[in-house]
Amino acid sequence: MAMVEIDQDQHVALEKFLPQNETHVALITDIQSNYKNIERRLVSRDTVTAIDNAIARIKRLNPRILLVNANKPTDEYCDLLFTLRQQCPDTQAILIINEAVEENYLLKTLASGARGFITDSFDSLNFSKVIRAIDRGEAWISRQMIKKIMHYIVFASQYDSSEGDFDSSR
């Protein structure tokens, strides 16, 4: 498992998510970290963007699950998720967000490749349930977000069917 933090004002308290059995996590970050039992992996290089550097590190680590601190929404994360989907298809990304993150931003990150999201107030007892679900290839999103996605699907299918080009296999 790995976690990436780029251009964030504050860390997510990883300790509350991780089991007490000293799970090894590689932290890919561009700010100083005081995490114990977590390896810091991102060293700033002037010739490479933070996203390109993070992608290179993620490719080397090849984690099955990638936690993404997205408390401060940035478009860079959509670029990161899209590139991950292309270059590291076995790595499944989960966003860690705060309650203030807008739904449209979440939809954009899901379209870019995120497998779901949890809030930074999520309890550790259910964290392993999330990890197992994502590892099985399932999504972890709220029912409210499912409602919004279904609305887009219905809208898109109505548009496609009005063009005489509806294909239910898509």
Side-chain angles (χ1 to χ4, degrees):
M1 183 182 307
M3 178 166 180
V4 64
E5 292 183 324
I6 298 173
D7 196 24
Q8 296 296 306
D9 295 332
Q10 64 186 32
H11 288 292
V12 169
L14 272 180
E15 299 83 22
K16 72 179 187 177
F17 293 120
L18 300 175
Q20 299 301 320
N21 62 359
E22 305 224 1
T23 301
H24 180 76
V25 175
L27 177 64
I28 302 166
T29 183
D30 62 348
I31 55 180
Q32 191 59 37
S33 170
N34 293 324
Y35 292 128
K36 296 175 181 143
N37 299 325
I38 297 175
E39 184 178 344
R40 189 168 180 267
R41 289 279 187 146
L42 187 60
V43 177
S44 297
R45 290 187 245 162
D46 294 334
T47 59
V48 180
T49 69
I51 294 297
D52 289 339
N53 197 5
I55 291 290
R57 302 289 179 160
I58 293 165
K59 284 172 74 171
R60 274 187 238 126
L61 290 169
N62 196 26
R64 179 78 179 126
I65 304 293
L66 178 69
L67 304 174
V68 179
N69 176 0
N71 275 322
K72 180 180 152 190
T74 67
D75 286 336
E76 286 181 318
Y77 279 129
C78 292
D79 296 339
L80 173 83
L81 293 166
F82 182 78
T83 304
L84 269 177
R85 192 175 67 195
Q86 302 298 314
Q87 296 185 20
C88 307
D90 293 333
T91 297
Q92 306 299 314
I94 305 169
L95 302 179
I96 301 176
I97 61 168
N98 61 37
E99 299 291 336
V101 174
E102 294 182 18
E103 284 184 350
N104 287 337
Y105 177 74
L106 292 176
L107 285 170
K108 189 174 177 182
T109 60
L110 290 169
S112 297
R115 296 297 298 164
F117 55 88
I118 59 175
T119 63
D120 55 6
S121 61
F122 197 77
D123 65 84
S124 63
L125 295 176
N126 289 319
F127 185 69
S128 60
K129 184 177 180 180
V130 173
I131 297 301
R132 285 193 306 273
I134 297 295
D135 193 43
R136 289 190 305 264
E138 299 174 18
W140 195 270
I141 57 176
S142 68
R143 295 211 181 269
Q144 186 65 27
M145 188 61 64
I146 291 172
K147 177 181 170 185
K148 196 161 195 142
I149 291 169
M150 291 302 297
H151 173 76
Y152 285 123
I153 291 170
V154 169
F155 178 77
S157 68
Q158 289 173 346
Y159 175 77
D160 285 349
S161 65
S162 70
E163 297 288 320
D165 193 19
F166 181 74
D167 182 0
S168 62
S169 65
R170 285 193 265 181

